[in-house]
Amino acid sequence: MNYQNIRQAQKRFYHSGATRSIAFRKEQLKFLKNLIQSNEELFYDAIYKDFRKSRFETYTNELSIIYAEIDYYLKNLKRIAKPKRVRTNLTNIPGQSYIYHDPLGTVLIISAWNYPYQLTLTPLVSAIAGGNTAIIKPSELPMHTMYLMEKLINTNFPKEYLHVVTGAIPETTALLALAYDKIFFTGSPKVGKIVYEAAAKQLCPVTLELGGKSPAILTPSANLKVAIKRLVWGKFLNAGQTCIAPDYLYVHESIKTNVLQIIKEILEKIPYNDGADHYVSIIDQHNYNRLEKMMNADKVYYKNGEHNPEKLHFAPTIMSDVTWDDTVMQDEIFGPLLPVLTYNDFRQVLETINDKEKPLSAYLFSNDAKEKDTFLNILTFGGGCINDTIMHVASEYLPFGGVGNSGTGNYHGEAGFRCFTHQKSVLKKANWGEPNLKYPPYTENKLKWIKKVL
Ligand code: NAD
C-alpha cells in the first residue's frame, strides 16, 4: 500500500466519525497500554539491542512516561474534551457561546532516536486522546525499536486508524509530500526547517520539538553537593543523548576548582564503564565520531574510564577552561561531554545566553531569591528547573516544548490534547430579540445608538 492510499484511508476513517467519541478514544488508549504492558519484554529487548539501554532506564524514562500519559487521559479526557461554555458578549445577547474541542483529523508523527518509545508513543497517545488518526514515522537509527513499534501497531490497529511507516530520509520525504491536518515532529532544528517548509506548502499546522544548547548555571549560593549530583545525573543520563540534557555548565569563577573536584568525586563513585547497565552506548559511528571531533584533548579535565570506539562507548568527559570559541560550543553536543565555563557577572551570563539561539531548557542552581528572579525574568528558554535538571519533562501537568529555534508548540497532559485538537468557537443564537440596528439602511441615528451600545 502506498502512502497516499494510507492517507486517504485514514481521511475516510476520520470523516466516518469513528474516532470522535470519548468512549472510543479511551478504549484505544487502554488497548495501547495493555499492548505495551503485555509486550514489555520485547520493548526491553529491542532497545537493549539498539544502544544497550537497561531495563531500569527503559522503564523509568520511556515506558512509565507513556503509561502516565495514558493514565492522565483515562482520568481526565472526559473533563478536558467537554465543550466549554464561555460568557457571551453584549452584542451577541441573547445567545450562548461555546468552545468545542474538535479533533484535527489525520496527523503525521515523525520522531527522533534518542528516546525512541517515549518520543514516538507519547505524542501518539495525545493524538488518540484528541480523536485523530495517525501515521507514525519513528527514527530509523534504533532499528530494533522501530521494527517492534511497526509490528505491534500495524498488526493490532487497522491501518486506516494508526499506521507505522518505517524508513529514513526518502520515506520521510515521500510522507511529507502529502497533506495532513497536523505534523508533529521531534528532531533537530535542521530537519525541523525541512518539515516546516513542507508543512507550509499545505498550510498544515505543526508542532516542532527541536533541540539546541541548554545551559546550566551554578552560583556560589547553591547547595553544591545536591546541585552537582543532579547535574551529573541529568548530563550523563542516556549518555548525554537527551534533548534537554544540560549541554554546558557555567560556574562562578570563585567556586570552579571546588565544583570540578566534586564532579570528579561523584563520577568516580558511579563508574560509567563500558558495559555498565546504567550507561548506554552512543547510537552509531557517525555520532561517536562527531563527539570525538568536539573533544579538545588539551582541555579534558577528567574522563570516567576509557573510550571504546568499537563498542561505541564514550566515557563521561569533563572539559574545563572552555570558551565560546571552542569546537564543543559551536553545536548541540548530544553526548557525554560536559564543557565547564566560568563567569564573574551573573547577569552578563544570561545576556550572553540570550544572544544565542533560544535554548530548549535551562537550569539554575542557586539558593538566592534575587538570582532566581533574574534568571526567570531575563532568560528565554522552552522549560527547565531551578535546582534540578530534566525532571520538568516527567510531569503531565507541565506543557513541554521549546521556543524559537528549539521548537514551537508543546505537549504532555492537557497541552498534548490541545496540540492535537482545534478550538472550534460556536455562538448559538436565540430566535428572539433581534435588534434592527445592525441592518441597513445605516443612518446617523443608528450609528449614534451603536456607539452607545458598543
Ligand atoms: P533528526 O532531525 O536527524 O531526525 C529526526 C527525524 O527526521 C527522523 O525520523 C529522521 O528519519 C527524519 N529525517 C532526518 N533527516 C531528514 C530529512 N533530510 N528529511 C526528512 N526527514 C528527515 O534528529 P535526530 O538525530 O533523530 O535527533 C536528535 C535531535 O533531536 C537533537 O537536536 C535533539 O535535541 C532533538 N530532540 C528534541 C526533542 C524534544 O522533545 N524537543 C527530543 C529528542 C530529540
Side-chain angles (χ1 to χ4, degrees), residues 110-114 119 137-140 167-169 172-173 176 185-189 191 194 209-212 243 332 334 360 400 406:
I110 303 171
S111 60
W113 58 263
N114 54 327
L119 297 175
K137 211 302 284 175
S139 169
E140 70 282 12
I169 298 179
T172 319
T173 307
L176 285 171
F185 171 80
T186 306
S188 60
V191 180
I194 296 172
E209 296 285 342
L210 310 176
C243 57
E332 179 180 2
F334 219 52
L360 180 58
F400 178 78
S406 58

PDB file of all heavy atoms in Angstrom, residues 110-114 119 137-140 167-169 172-173 176 185-189 191 194 209-212 243 332 334 360 400 406, ligand 1:
ATOM      1  N   ILE A 110       6.515  12.331  13.379  1.00  0.00           N
ATOM      2  CA  ILE A 110       7.879  11.914  13.000  1.00  0.00           C
ATOM      3  C   ILE A 110       8.737  12.064  14.249  1.00  0.00           C
ATOM      4  O   ILE A 110       8.721  13.117  14.885  1.00  0.00           O
ATOM      5  CB  ILE A 110       8.453  12.837  11.895  1.00  0.00           C
ATOM      6  CG1 ILE A 110       7.541  12.857  10.664  1.00  0.00           C
ATOM      7  CG2 ILE A 110       9.863  12.408  11.504  1.00  0.00           C
ATOM      8  CD1 ILE A 110       7.924  13.919   9.627  1.00  0.00           C
ATOM      9  N   SER A 111       9.491  11.020  14.594  1.00  0.00           N
ATOM     10  CA  SER A 111      10.211  11.151  15.866  1.00  0.00           C
ATOM     11  C   SER A 111      11.711  10.918  15.754  1.00  0.00           C
ATOM     12  O   SER A 111      12.214  10.429  14.744  1.00  0.00           O
ATOM     13  CB  SER A 111       9.596  10.230  16.918  1.00  0.00           C
ATOM     14  OG  SER A 111       9.676   8.913  16.508  1.00  0.00           O
ATOM     15  N   ALA A 112      12.394  11.283  16.842  1.00  0.00           N
ATOM     16  CA  ALA A 112      13.859  11.190  16.918  1.00  0.00           C
ATOM     17  C   ALA A 112      14.263   9.858  17.568  1.00  0.00           C
ATOM     18  O   ALA A 112      13.419   9.121  18.074  1.00  0.00           O
ATOM     19  CB  ALA A 112      14.392  12.360  17.745  1.00  0.00           C
ATOM     20  N   TRP A 113      15.572   9.594  17.607  1.00  0.00           N
ATOM     21  CA  TRP A 113      16.018   8.259  18.009  1.00  0.00           C
ATOM     22  C   TRP A 113      16.346   8.121  19.480  1.00  0.00           C
ATOM     23  O   TRP A 113      16.418   7.011  20.007  1.00  0.00           O
ATOM     24  CB  TRP A 113      17.264   7.856  17.210  1.00  0.00           C
ATOM     25  CG  TRP A 113      18.420   8.797  17.350  1.00  0.00           C
ATOM     26  CD1 TRP A 113      18.751   9.809  16.487  1.00  0.00           C
ATOM     27  CD2 TRP A 113      19.383   8.853  18.407  1.00  0.00           C
ATOM     28  NE1 TRP A 113      19.853  10.484  16.944  1.00  0.00           N
ATOM     29  CE2 TRP A 113      20.271   9.905  18.121  1.00  0.00           C
ATOM     30  CE3 TRP A 113      19.598   8.104  19.564  1.00  0.00           C
ATOM     31  CZ2 TRP A 113      21.347  10.249  18.943  1.00  0.00           C
ATOM     32  CZ3 TRP A 113      20.662   8.437  20.396  1.00  0.00           C
ATOM     33  CH2 TRP A 113      21.514   9.496  20.078  1.00  0.00           C
ATOM     34  N   ASN A 114      16.567   9.229  20.194  1.00  0.00           N
ATOM     35  CA  ASN A 114      17.238   9.099  21.497  1.00  0.00           C
ATOM     36  C   ASN A 114      16.375   8.506  22.610  1.00  0.00           C
ATOM     37  O   ASN A 114      16.895   7.877  23.524  1.00  0.00           O
ATOM     38  CB  ASN A 114      17.866  10.432  21.917  1.00  0.00           C
ATOM     39  CG  ASN A 114      16.895  11.576  21.903  1.00  0.00           C
ATOM     40  OD1 ASN A 114      15.990  11.627  21.087  1.00  0.00           O
ATOM     41  ND2 ASN A 114      17.057  12.503  22.802  1.00  0.00           N
ATOM     42  N   LEU A 119       9.336   9.189  22.594  1.00  0.00           N
ATOM     43  CA  LEU A 119       9.153  10.290  21.642  1.00  0.00           C
ATOM     44  C   LEU A 119       8.193   9.929  20.514  1.00  0.00           C
ATOM     45  O   LEU A 119       7.684  10.792  19.816  1.00  0.00           O
ATOM     46  CB  LEU A 119      10.506  10.708  21.055  1.00  0.00           C
ATOM     47  CG  LEU A 119      11.519  11.253  22.067  1.00  0.00           C
ATOM     48  CD1 LEU A 119      12.856  11.519  21.399  1.00  0.00           C
ATOM     49  CD2 LEU A 119      10.996  12.522  22.728  1.00  0.00           C
ATOM     50  N   LYS A 137       6.071   7.832  11.984  1.00  0.00           N
ATOM     51  CA  LYS A 137       7.368   7.512  11.371  1.00  0.00           C
ATOM     52  C   LYS A 137       8.448   7.624  12.444  1.00  0.00           C
ATOM     53  O   LYS A 137       8.979   8.697  12.716  1.00  0.00           O
ATOM     54  CB  LYS A 137       7.636   8.524  10.233  1.00  0.00           C
ATOM     55  CG  LYS A 137       8.444   8.009   9.068  1.00  0.00           C
ATOM     56  CD  LYS A 137       9.819   7.464   9.387  1.00  0.00           C
ATOM     57  CE  LYS A 137      10.822   8.554   9.669  1.00  0.00           C
ATOM     58  NZ  LYS A 137      12.150   8.040  10.107  1.00  0.00           N
ATOM     59  N   PRO A 138       8.785   6.476  13.087  1.00  0.00           N
ATOM     60  CA  PRO A 138       9.842   6.523  14.112  1.00  0.00           C
ATOM     61  C   PRO A 138      11.207   6.730  13.450  1.00  0.00           C
ATOM     62  O   PRO A 138      11.333   6.593  12.229  1.00  0.00           O
ATOM     63  CB  PRO A 138       9.787   5.125  14.749  1.00  0.00           C
ATOM     64  CG  PRO A 138       8.612   4.426  14.156  1.00  0.00           C
ATOM     65  CD  PRO A 138       8.269   5.123  12.870  1.00  0.00           C
ATOM     66  N   SER A 139      12.204   7.029  14.266  1.00  0.00           N
ATOM     67  CA  SER A 139      13.560   7.171  13.713  1.00  0.00           C
ATOM     68  C   SER A 139      14.076   5.813  13.272  1.00  0.00           C
ATOM     69  O   SER A 139      13.809   4.785  13.897  1.00  0.00           O
ATOM     70  CB  SER A 139      14.490   7.754  14.774  1.00  0.00           C
ATOM     71  OG  SER A 139      15.824   7.649  14.334  1.00  0.00           O
ATOM     72  N   GLU A 140      14.869   5.842  12.217  1.00  0.00           N
ATOM     73  CA  GLU A 140      15.422   4.609  11.655  1.00  0.00           C
ATOM     74  C   GLU A 140      16.698   4.160  12.371  1.00  0.00           C
ATOM     75  O   GLU A 140      17.154   3.039  12.182  1.00  0.00           O
ATOM     76  CB  GLU A 140      15.699   4.799  10.162  1.00  0.00           C
ATOM     77  CG  GLU A 140      16.858   5.742   9.808  1.00  0.00           C
ATOM     78  CD  GLU A 140      16.504   7.234   9.918  1.00  0.00           C
ATOM     79  OE1 GLU A 140      15.439   7.576  10.471  1.00  0.00           O
ATOM     80  OE2 GLU A 140      17.332   8.051   9.451  1.00  0.00           O
ATOM     81  N   GLY A 167      11.488   3.698   7.889  1.00  0.00           N
ATOM     82  CA  GLY A 167      12.346   4.229   6.834  1.00  0.00           C
ATOM     83  C   GLY A 167      13.104   5.448   7.303  1.00  0.00           C
ATOM     84  O   GLY A 167      12.970   5.886   8.440  1.00  0.00           O
ATOM     85  N   ALA A 168      13.903   5.999   6.360  1.00  0.00           N
ATOM     86  CA  ALA A 168      14.776   7.123   6.692  1.00  0.00           C
ATOM     87  C   ALA A 168      14.384   8.368   5.882  1.00  0.00           C
ATOM     88  O   ALA A 168      13.198   8.670   5.763  1.00  0.00           O
ATOM     89  CB  ALA A 168      16.214   6.701   6.457  1.00  0.00           C
ATOM     90  N   ILE A 169      15.375   9.043   5.312  1.00  0.00           N
ATOM     91  CA  ILE A 169      15.081  10.316   4.622  1.00  0.00           C
ATOM     92  C   ILE A 169      14.141  10.134   3.421  1.00  0.00           C
ATOM     93  O   ILE A 169      13.157  10.874   3.304  1.00  0.00           O
ATOM     94  CB  ILE A 169      16.391  11.045   4.225  1.00  0.00           C
ATOM     95  CG1 ILE A 169      17.186  11.392   5.488  1.00  0.00           C
ATOM     96  CG2 ILE A 169      16.088  12.317   3.429  1.00  0.00           C
ATOM     97  CD1 ILE A 169      18.511  12.097   5.233  1.00  0.00           C
ATOM     98  N   THR A 172      10.610   9.581   4.663  1.00  0.00           N
ATOM     99  CA  THR A 172      10.055  10.767   5.342  1.00  0.00           C
ATOM    100  C   THR A 172       9.738  11.850   4.310  1.00  0.00           C
ATOM    101  O   THR A 172       8.705  12.530   4.402  1.00  0.00           O
ATOM    102  CB  THR A 172      11.049  11.320   6.400  1.00  0.00           C
ATOM    103  OG1 THR A 172      11.634  10.216   7.074  1.00  0.00           O
ATOM    104  CG2 THR A 172      10.353  12.205   7.396  1.00  0.00           C
ATOM    105  N   THR A 173      10.614  11.983   3.324  1.00  0.00           N
ATOM    106  CA  THR A 173      10.381  12.989   2.277  1.00  0.00           C
ATOM    107  C   THR A 173       9.097  12.668   1.531  1.00  0.00           C
ATOM    108  O   THR A 173       8.283  13.560   1.248  1.00  0.00           O
ATOM    109  CB  THR A 173      11.590  13.013   1.300  1.00  0.00           C
ATOM    110  OG1 THR A 173      12.772  13.174   2.085  1.00  0.00           O
ATOM    111  CG2 THR A 173      11.476  14.141   0.294  1.00  0.00           C
ATOM    112  N   LEU A 176       6.184  13.543   3.642  1.00  0.00           N
ATOM    113  CA  LEU A 176       5.999  14.996   3.789  1.00  0.00           C
ATOM    114  C   LEU A 176       5.403  15.642   2.540  1.00  0.00           C
ATOM    115  O   LEU A 176       4.967  16.791   2.583  1.00  0.00           O
ATOM    116  CB  LEU A 176       7.339  15.670   4.126  1.00  0.00           C
ATOM    117  CG  LEU A 176       7.849  15.477   5.552  1.00  0.00           C
ATOM    118  CD1 LEU A 176       9.277  15.988   5.697  1.00  0.00           C
ATOM    119  CD2 LEU A 176       6.940  16.168   6.560  1.00  0.00           C
ATOM    120  N   PHE A 185       6.588  16.926  14.870  1.00  0.00           N
ATOM    121  CA  PHE A 185       7.955  16.498  14.562  1.00  0.00           C
ATOM    122  C   PHE A 185       8.863  16.640  15.777  1.00  0.00           C
ATOM    123  O   PHE A 185       8.889  17.680  16.424  1.00  0.00           O
ATOM    124  CB  PHE A 185       8.517  17.353  13.414  1.00  0.00           C
ATOM    125  CG  PHE A 185       9.983  17.122  13.167  1.00  0.00           C
ATOM    126  CD1 PHE A 185      10.422  16.015  12.443  1.00  0.00           C
ATOM    127  CD2 PHE A 185      10.944  18.002  13.669  1.00  0.00           C
ATOM    128  CE1 PHE A 185      11.781  15.790  12.232  1.00  0.00           C
ATOM    129  CE2 PHE A 185      12.304  17.783  13.463  1.00  0.00           C
ATOM    130  CZ  PHE A 185      12.722  16.679  12.738  1.00  0.00           C
ATOM    131  N   THR A 186       9.623  15.603  16.067  1.00  0.00           N
ATOM    132  CA  THR A 186      10.681  15.690  17.073  1.00  0.00           C
ATOM    133  C   THR A 186      12.008  15.402  16.391  1.00  0.00           C
ATOM    134  O   THR A 186      12.159  14.357  15.741  1.00  0.00           O
ATOM    135  CB  THR A 186      10.479  14.652  18.204  1.00  0.00           C
ATOM    136  OG1 THR A 186       9.171  14.817  18.742  1.00  0.00           O
ATOM    137  CG2 THR A 186      11.486  14.845  19.315  1.00  0.00           C
ATOM    138  N   GLY A 187      12.957  16.315  16.519  1.00  0.00           N
ATOM    139  CA  GLY A 187      14.264  16.097  15.905  1.00  0.00           C
ATOM    140  C   GLY A 187      15.092  17.365  15.943  1.00  0.00           C
ATOM    141  O   GLY A 187      14.860  18.252  16.775  1.00  0.00           O
ATOM    142  N   SER A 188      16.040  17.467  15.025  1.00  0.00           N
ATOM    143  CA  SER A 188      16.979  18.588  15.035  1.00  0.00           C
ATOM    144  C   SER A 188      16.361  19.844  14.417  1.00  0.00           C
ATOM    145  O   SER A 188      15.464  19.747  13.574  1.00  0.00           O
ATOM    146  CB  SER A 188      18.220  18.193  14.230  1.00  0.00           C
ATOM    147  OG  SER A 188      17.821  17.890  12.908  1.00  0.00           O
ATOM    148  N   PRO A 189      16.853  21.032  14.807  1.00  0.00           N
ATOM    149  CA  PRO A 189      16.377  22.257  14.155  1.00  0.00           C
ATOM    150  C   PRO A 189      16.599  22.207  12.636  1.00  0.00           C
ATOM    151  O   PRO A 189      15.777  22.723  11.869  1.00  0.00           O
ATOM    152  CB  PRO A 189      17.231  23.352  14.804  1.00  0.00           C
ATOM    153  CG  PRO A 189      17.605  22.786  16.141  1.00  0.00           C
ATOM    154  CD  PRO A 189      17.758  21.306  15.930  1.00  0.00           C
ATOM    155  N   VAL A 191      16.455  19.622  10.478  1.00  0.00           N
ATOM    156  CA  VAL A 191      15.379  18.879   9.807  1.00  0.00           C
ATOM    157  C   VAL A 191      14.023  19.524  10.119  1.00  0.00           C
ATOM    158  O   VAL A 191      13.105  19.500   9.295  1.00  0.00           O
ATOM    159  CB  VAL A 191      15.414  17.375  10.186  1.00  0.00           C
ATOM    160  CG1 VAL A 191      14.300  16.610   9.491  1.00  0.00           C
ATOM    161  CG2 VAL A 191      16.771  16.769   9.826  1.00  0.00           C
ATOM    162  N   ILE A 194      13.079  21.690   7.374  1.00  0.00           N
ATOM    163  CA  ILE A 194      12.597  20.946   6.181  1.00  0.00           C
ATOM    164  C   ILE A 194      11.121  20.592   6.392  1.00  0.00           C
ATOM    165  O   ILE A 194      10.289  20.753   5.502  1.00  0.00           O
ATOM    166  CB  ILE A 194      13.447  19.664   5.971  1.00  0.00           C
ATOM    167  CG1 ILE A 194      14.895  20.040   5.658  1.00  0.00           C
ATOM    168  CG2 ILE A 194      12.847  18.784   4.877  1.00  0.00           C
ATOM    169  CD1 ILE A 194      15.869  18.871   5.618  1.00  0.00           C
ATOM    170  N   GLU A 209       9.311  19.844  18.006  1.00  0.00           N
ATOM    171  CA  GLU A 209      10.044  19.616  19.250  1.00  0.00           C
ATOM    172  C   GLU A 209      11.503  19.454  18.869  1.00  0.00           C
ATOM    173  O   GLU A 209      11.921  18.383  18.421  1.00  0.00           O
ATOM    174  CB  GLU A 209       9.510  18.346  19.947  1.00  0.00           C
ATOM    175  CG  GLU A 209       8.065  18.443  20.401  1.00  0.00           C
ATOM    176  CD  GLU A 209       7.869  19.317  21.652  1.00  0.00           C
ATOM    177  OE1 GLU A 209       8.861  19.565  22.371  1.00  0.00           O
ATOM    178  OE2 GLU A 209       6.736  19.747  21.894  1.00  0.00           O
ATOM    179  N   LEU A 210      12.286  20.531  19.023  1.00  0.00           N
ATOM    180  CA  LEU A 210      13.650  20.535  18.488  1.00  0.00           C
ATOM    181  C   LEU A 210      14.690  20.534  19.619  1.00  0.00           C
ATOM    182  O   LEU A 210      14.361  20.191  20.754  1.00  0.00           O
ATOM    183  CB  LEU A 210      13.810  21.753  17.570  1.00  0.00           C
ATOM    184  CG  LEU A 210      12.688  21.913  16.521  1.00  0.00           C
ATOM    185  CD1 LEU A 210      12.870  23.180  15.717  1.00  0.00           C
ATOM    186  CD2 LEU A 210      12.601  20.696  15.606  1.00  0.00           C
ATOM    187  N   GLY A 211      15.899  20.927  19.292  1.00  0.00           N
ATOM    188  CA  GLY A 211      16.963  20.848  20.304  1.00  0.00           C
ATOM    189  C   GLY A 211      17.763  22.126  20.381  1.00  0.00           C
ATOM    190  O   GLY A 211      17.262  23.204  20.073  1.00  0.00           O
ATOM    191  N   GLY A 212      19.013  21.996  20.789  1.00  0.00           N
ATOM    192  CA  GLY A 212      19.885  23.157  20.927  1.00  0.00           C
ATOM    193  C   GLY A 212      20.782  23.006  22.145  1.00  0.00           C
ATOM    194  O   GLY A 212      20.823  21.943  22.761  1.00  0.00           O
ATOM    195  N   CYS A 243      17.583  15.474  24.675  1.00  0.00           N
ATOM    196  CA  CYS A 243      17.392  16.820  24.112  1.00  0.00           C
ATOM    197  C   CYS A 243      17.468  17.899  25.180  1.00  0.00           C
ATOM    198  O   CYS A 243      17.902  19.004  24.921  1.00  0.00           O
ATOM    199  CB  CYS A 243      16.066  16.898  23.377  1.00  0.00           C
ATOM    200  SG  CYS A 243      14.664  16.477  24.415  1.00  0.00           S
ATOM    201  N   GLU A 332      24.981  21.794  19.366  1.00  0.00           N
ATOM    202  CA  GLU A 332      24.444  20.952  20.446  1.00  0.00           C
ATOM    203  C   GLU A 332      25.357  19.725  20.578  1.00  0.00           C
ATOM    204  O   GLU A 332      25.711  19.103  19.570  1.00  0.00           O
ATOM    205  CB  GLU A 332      23.023  20.517  20.051  1.00  0.00           C
ATOM    206  CG  GLU A 332      22.363  19.619  21.053  1.00  0.00           C
ATOM    207  CD  GLU A 332      20.947  19.204  20.616  1.00  0.00           C
ATOM    208  OE1 GLU A 332      20.504  19.593  19.518  1.00  0.00           O
ATOM    209  OE2 GLU A 332      20.293  18.480  21.379  1.00  0.00           O
ATOM    210  N   PHE A 334      24.883  16.718  22.503  1.00  0.00           N
ATOM    211  CA  PHE A 334      24.101  15.484  22.398  1.00  0.00           C
ATOM    212  C   PHE A 334      24.957  14.251  22.665  1.00  0.00           C
ATOM    213  O   PHE A 334      24.934  13.255  21.937  1.00  0.00           O
ATOM    214  CB  PHE A 334      23.471  15.391  20.995  1.00  0.00           C
ATOM    215  CG  PHE A 334      22.069  14.841  21.030  1.00  0.00           C
ATOM    216  CD1 PHE A 334      21.114  15.383  21.856  1.00  0.00           C
ATOM    217  CD2 PHE A 334      21.707  13.756  20.230  1.00  0.00           C
ATOM    218  CE1 PHE A 334      19.828  14.872  21.902  1.00  0.00           C
ATOM    219  CE2 PHE A 334      20.428  13.240  20.275  1.00  0.00           C
ATOM    220  CZ  PHE A 334      19.482  13.801  21.107  1.00  0.00           C
ATOM    221  N   LEU A 360      16.241  24.968  24.507  1.00  0.00           N
ATOM    222  CA  LEU A 360      15.083  24.131  24.835  1.00  0.00           C
ATOM    223  C   LEU A 360      14.880  24.129  26.355  1.00  0.00           C
ATOM    224  O   LEU A 360      13.756  24.190  26.837  1.00  0.00           O
ATOM    225  CB  LEU A 360      15.326  22.710  24.318  1.00  0.00           C
ATOM    226  CG  LEU A 360      14.237  21.678  24.565  1.00  0.00           C
ATOM    227  CD1 LEU A 360      12.908  22.104  23.960  1.00  0.00           C
ATOM    228  CD2 LEU A 360      14.652  20.316  23.989  1.00  0.00           C
ATOM    229  N   PHE A 400       5.270  20.699  27.692  1.00  0.00           N
ATOM    230  CA  PHE A 400       6.674  20.506  27.323  1.00  0.00           C
ATOM    231  C   PHE A 400       6.904  20.960  25.885  1.00  0.00           C
ATOM    232  O   PHE A 400       6.219  20.499  24.968  1.00  0.00           O
ATOM    233  CB  PHE A 400       7.070  19.027  27.465  1.00  0.00           C
ATOM    234  CG  PHE A 400       8.488  18.781  27.039  1.00  0.00           C
ATOM    235  CD1 PHE A 400       9.537  19.101  27.881  1.00  0.00           C
ATOM    236  CD2 PHE A 400       8.773  18.274  25.781  1.00  0.00           C
ATOM    237  CE1 PHE A 400      10.855  18.919  27.479  1.00  0.00           C
ATOM    238  CE2 PHE A 400      10.084  18.084  25.370  1.00  0.00           C
ATOM    239  CZ  PHE A 400      11.128  18.399  26.225  1.00  0.00           C
ATOM    240  N   SER A 406      14.408  26.248  19.291  1.00  0.00           N
ATOM    241  CA  SER A 406      14.280  24.951  19.979  1.00  0.00           C
ATOM    242  C   SER A 406      12.877  24.372  19.849  1.00  0.00           C
ATOM    243  O   SER A 406      12.592  23.314  20.414  1.00  0.00           O
ATOM    244  CB  SER A 406      14.703  25.065  21.446  1.00  0.00           C
ATOM    245  OG  SER A 406      13.936  26.026  22.123  1.00  0.00           O
TER     246      SER A 406
HETATM  247  P1  NAD B   1      16.940  14.311  13.069  1.00  0.00           P
HETATM  248  O1  NAD B   1      16.372  15.660  12.854  1.00  0.00           O
HETATM  249  O2  NAD B   1      18.164  13.933  12.339  1.00  0.00           O
HETATM  250  O3  NAD B   1      15.848  13.184  12.712  1.00  0.00           O
HETATM  251  C1  NAD B   1      14.529  13.219  13.194  1.00  0.00           C
HETATM  252  C2  NAD B   1      13.613  12.514  12.230  1.00  0.00           C
HETATM  253  O4  NAD B   1      13.646  13.172  10.970  1.00  0.00           O
HETATM  254  C3  NAD B   1      13.953  11.052  11.963  1.00  0.00           C
HETATM  255  O5  NAD B   1      12.757  10.296  11.990  1.00  0.00           O
HETATM  256  C4  NAD B   1      14.577  11.060  10.587  1.00  0.00           C
HETATM  257  O6  NAD B   1      14.303   9.894   9.850  1.00  0.00           O
HETATM  258  C5  NAD B   1      13.932  12.251   9.921  1.00  0.00           C
HETATM  259  N1  NAD B   1      14.850  12.945   8.987  1.00  0.00           N
HETATM  260  C6  NAD B   1      16.201  13.093   9.111  1.00  0.00           C
HETATM  261  N2  NAD B   1      16.685  13.816   8.085  1.00  0.00           N
HETATM  262  C7  NAD B   1      15.633  14.139   7.293  1.00  0.00           C
HETATM  263  C8  NAD B   1      15.490  14.860   6.078  1.00  0.00           C
HETATM  264  N3  NAD B   1      16.541  15.409   5.459  1.00  0.00           N
HETATM  265  N4  NAD B   1      14.265  14.980   5.535  1.00  0.00           N
HETATM  266  C9  NAD B   1      13.182  14.445   6.136  1.00  0.00           C
HETATM  267  N5  NAD B   1      13.266  13.731   7.297  1.00  0.00           N
HETATM  268  C10 NAD B   1      14.465  13.575   7.866  1.00  0.00           C
HETATM  269  O7  NAD B   1      17.135  14.201  14.657  1.00  0.00           O
HETATM  270  P2  NAD B   1      17.724  13.002  15.496  1.00  0.00           P
HETATM  271  O8  NAD B   1      19.179  12.846  15.188  1.00  0.00           O
HETATM  272  O9  NAD B   1      16.867  11.802  15.385  1.00  0.00           O
HETATM  273  O10 NAD B   1      17.547  13.575  16.974  1.00  0.00           O
HETATM  274  C11 NAD B   1      18.438  14.483  17.538  1.00  0.00           C
HETATM  275  C12 NAD B   1      17.877  15.889  17.597  1.00  0.00           C
HETATM  276  O11 NAD B   1      16.539  15.871  18.058  1.00  0.00           O
HETATM  277  C13 NAD B   1      18.628  16.766  18.585  1.00  0.00           C
HETATM  278  O12 NAD B   1      18.728  18.063  18.067  1.00  0.00           O
HETATM  279  C14 NAD B   1      17.724  16.766  19.802  1.00  0.00           C
HETATM  280  O13 NAD B   1      17.896  17.863  20.663  1.00  0.00           O
HETATM  281  C15 NAD B   1      16.388  16.746  19.164  1.00  0.00           C
HETATM  282  N6  NAD B   1      15.378  16.199  20.073  1.00  0.00           N
HETATM  283  C16 NAD B   1      14.412  17.026  20.544  1.00  0.00           C
HETATM  284  C17 NAD B   1      13.472  16.535  21.441  1.00  0.00           C
HETATM  285  C18 NAD B   1      12.394  17.404  22.007  1.00  0.00           C
HETATM  286  O14 NAD B   1      11.469  16.863  22.615  1.00  0.00           O
HETATM  287  N7  NAD B   1      12.434  18.711  21.840  1.00  0.00           N
HETATM  288  C19 NAD B   1      13.538  15.204  21.832  1.00  0.00           C
HETATM  289  C20 NAD B   1      14.530  14.398  21.319  1.00  0.00           C
HETATM  290  C21 NAD B   1      15.462  14.902  20.441  1.00  0.00           C
END
